[in-house]
Amino acid sequence: MLIVKKFGGSSVADRERIFNVAERCIEEYKKGNDVIVVLSAMGDTTDELLWKAKEINPNASKRELDMLMTTGEQVSVSLMAMAISSLGVPAVSLNAYQVGMHCTSVYGNARFKRVDTERIQHELQYRKIVVVTGFQGVNKYEDYATLGRGGSDTTAVAIAAAMHADACEIYTDVEGVYTADPRIVPNAKKLDVISYDEMLELASLGAKVLHNRSVEMAKKYGVQLVVRSSLNREEGTVVKEVKKMEKMIISGVASDKNTSRVSVIGVDDKPGVAFKIFNTLAKKGINVDIILQSVGREGTKDISFTVAQDDLDEALRILDENKETLTIQDIKHKDNVAKLSIVGAGMMSNPGVAAKMFEALFNAGVNINMISTSEVRITVLIDENDVDRAMVAVHDRFGLGD
Ligand code: ADP
Ligand code: ASP
Ligand code: MG
């Protein structure tokens, strides 16, 4: 069997954890399996590198930030190969360049285009454990580009798909996928199985246990995932295709604090204005989420929308630069907001779900700024300070806990 195992930052945070991972990989190897290990940077390395960059140049280019961040994973893979070798099993570390992990050129948010298999195959033939850097690819300029925060999961899935692996296991610091972040909602329940679609929604709405692109890719290539703890032997959660059921099932609650609200005030109330505003942002790669348009007055209207907090400065700059062409009178923003979402199949065909969520928020004294719904989710924008409390309240109201 060929097994891909991915370990996140906290699973390789120090010497003891590195050896714990090394031993688990060797155990698999000694059963006669081929083992590919994908690693994140140790502990909080990626954040620390970003702080270092900020000290030197707060406006550093995304290219240089990627060049810096990719060093984190290079440290962990080389140390892991050394740890495995020291235990008497041959191992080799490889970065994205050496493997041939080809990606698009968008620094900080690259997507894989193609993964070469020859080098990994070659090393496996020599019965080595192959340890590969997560989170990075090489673009057409032969530069490193990162896949977005949490992207190592996607590296694991991309390799599992390219190599036709028999299993892809994501090891992390919790025992699987829960009905809510177990660090915020202590009685959240571990799910034995979750469908790709529901997992994709949860991940896209802030459940960072899996990078959303990893789920997208796993679904596309039919890679079954197992999410489990690197610290114990519990079963974990299987992410796979699950047949749609008639009954509505709420799969969980997710929150995203990486959210800001932008309002453009007094824009012309005529066709094409919204198009121009959102097209201008889209062209610069800024993703807009919940949108709310207020009723116009004196031929003008206000439009509010959310963007990721990381994109806020750029969004404000772009809007300001184009203020006249976009007919904007004023631009306002608020960055201490968060999204809270409830996810499950068949939301819209089950009346009362939204009411139940709003009731829970009302009882918790939480004010709602914006609302957005779809067949598989209801999302509200609320104050960041309220979001943990609100998550517990909504999770409880739907009886999702243990
Ligand atoms: P890693 O470094 O292993 O990639 P992450 O920090 O990226 O780990 O993801 C694991 C974290 O995701 C958990 O520690 C947990 O706080 C958080 N999380 C958020 N939502 C969920 C959820 N629904 N189920 C499990 N964990 C969740
Ligand atoms: N080290 C990267 C990050 O912190 C990638 C990852 O952990 O998946 O975002
Ligand atoms: Mg992660």
Side-chain angles (χ1 to χ4, degrees):
M1 292 230 295
L2 171 59
I3 298 173
V4 176
K5 289 174 174 292
K6 179 261 169 180
F7 294 86
S10 49
S11 303
V12 292
D14 54 30
R15 181 184 180 280
E16 191 192 338
R17 296 268 173 99
I18 286 179
F19 274 99
N20 168 54
V21 169
E23 274 158 15
R24 283 188 91 137
C25 295
I26 288 173
E27 198 178 303
E28 202 77 75
Y29 173 92
K30 289 202 167 152
K31 289 182 203 158
N33 296 317
D34 285 331
V35 181
I36 302 170
V37 190
V38 174
L39 298 183
S40 295
M42 294 169 70
D44 295 328
T45 301
T46 309
D47 288 325
E48 284 158 14
L49 290 170
L50 286 171
W51 291 327
K52 278 202 175 88
K54 213 161 191 172
E55 269 176 17
I56 301 285
N57 178 356
N59 300 313
S61 70
K62 288 190 173 164
R63 180 200 181 272
E64 295 307 332
L65 288 174
D66 277 1
M67 186 69 182
L68 179 68
M69 280 193 285
T70 50
T71 63
E73 272 67 16
Q74 209 153 309
V75 170
S76 52
V77 293
S78 48
L79 292 177
M80 184 59 66
M82 292 177 205
I84 294 170
S85 308
S86 79
L87 297 172
V89 170
V92 60
S93 64
L94 299 173
N95 66 16
Y97 197 90
Q98 292 165 313
V99 171
M101 311 242 1
H102 305 278
C103 67
T104 58
S105 43
V106 191
Y107 299 102
N109 195 20
R111 284 171 178 260
F112 284 125
K113 293 205 302 198
R114 185 170 47 103
V115 176
D116 296 339
T117 53
E118 293 79 12
R119 180 69 191 268
I120 294 182
Q121 205 77 62
H122 177 80
E123 302 293 352
L124 289 174
Q125 265 162 19
Y126 285 92
R127 278 297 283 154
K128 288 183 192 167
I129 293 182
V130 180
V131 194
V132 182
T133 49
F135 186 46
Q136 56 179 258
V138 178
N139 67 20
K140 65 179 175 199
Y141 307 111
E142 302 205 324
D143 279 344
Y144 286 109
T146 64
L147 310 174
R149 297 304 304 269
S152 297
D153 302 326
T154 303
T155 307
V157 176
I159 291 179
M163 300 288 302
H164 304 289
D166 299 290
C168 183
E169 302 165 350
I170 310 288
Y171 289 83
T172 183
D173 55 5
V174 287
E175 285 175 15
V177 179
Y178 287 70
T179 48
D181 186 338
R183 296 185 196 285
I184 300 173
V185 182
N187 72 341
K189 195 156 83 192
K190 187 169 87 185
L191 303 166
D192 295 332
V193 178
I194 186 167
S195 70
Y196 290 124
D197 289 338
E198 287 164 312
M199 189 63 238
L200 185 56
E201 283 296 321
L202 280 177
S204 305
L205 293 165
K208 67 169 183 163
V209 62
L210 284 176
H211 192 230
N212 60 352
R213 296 250 181 82
S214 72
V215 186
E216 207 173 79
M217 196 182 279
K219 179 181 158 103
K220 185 168 171 194
Y221 295 100
V223 177
Q224 186 166 312
L225 303 177
V226 178
V227 181
R228 57 193 301 194
S229 170
S230 64
L231 301 170
N232 64 37
R233 305 272 163 170
E234 295 297 322
E235 283 289 324
T237 302
V238 178
V239 187
K240 62 177 189 180
E241 199 67 64
V242 179
K243 269 201 226 101
K244 211 174 172 203
M245 299 188 210
E246 282 297 309
K247 198 164 114 249
M248 186 195 57
I249 317 153
I250 306 271
S251 44
V253 184
S255 66
D256 188 353
K257 295 179 181 168
N258 178 21
T259 306
S260 306
R261 190 184 69 194
V262 177
S263 302
V264 289
I265 313 287
V267 297
D268 284 355
D269 191 8
K270 61 179 192 202
V273 171
F275 161 69
K276 275 189 207 149
I277 292 171
F278 295 119
N279 192 41
T280 308
L281 292 169
K283 277 199 300 209
K284 300 282 181 182
I286 297 199
N287 212 15
V288 167
D289 197 21
I290 315 174
I291 301 172
L292 194 76
Q293 180 175 309
S294 73
V295 183
R297 64 187 130 61
E298 291 165 14
T300 71
K301 61 188 171 191
D302 306 337
I303 302 176
S304 295
F305 52 89
T306 59
V307 295
Q309 203 153 20
D310 305 335
D311 288 337
L312 177 64
D313 289 345
E314 208 181 339
L316 293 175
R317 191 179 51 75
I318 293 165
L319 291 171
D320 197 54
E321 277 171 6
N322 296 282
K323 223 170 157 178
E324 256 140 60
T325 29
L326 300 175
T327 72
I328 300 171
Q329 289 178 23
D330 196 11
I331 305 166
K332 291 188 175 153
H333 70 273
K334 192 168 157 54
D335 54 14
N336 54 348
V337 290
K339 280 186 291 191
L340 178 73
S341 309
I342 179 151
V343 172
M347 288 279 170
M348 297 303 267
S349 39
N350 280 272
V353 180
K356 211 163 158 182
M357 181 178 188
F358 302 155
E359 183 199 358
L361 294 170
F362 166 66
N363 287 337
V366 174
N367 189 38
I368 303 171
N369 282 292
M370 288 169 128
I371 300 168
S372 136
T373 65
S374 82
E375 186 56 37
V376 286
R377 61 143 160 155
I378 298 168
T379 301
V380 293
L381 189 76
I382 58 180
D383 238 55
E384 191 173 298
N385 294 330
D386 288 337
V387 75
D388 289 356
R389 204 158 53 81
M391 194 182 207
V392 172
V394 171
H395 189 266
D396 264 8
R397 183 66 185 85
F398 284 91
L400 296 174
D402 263 331

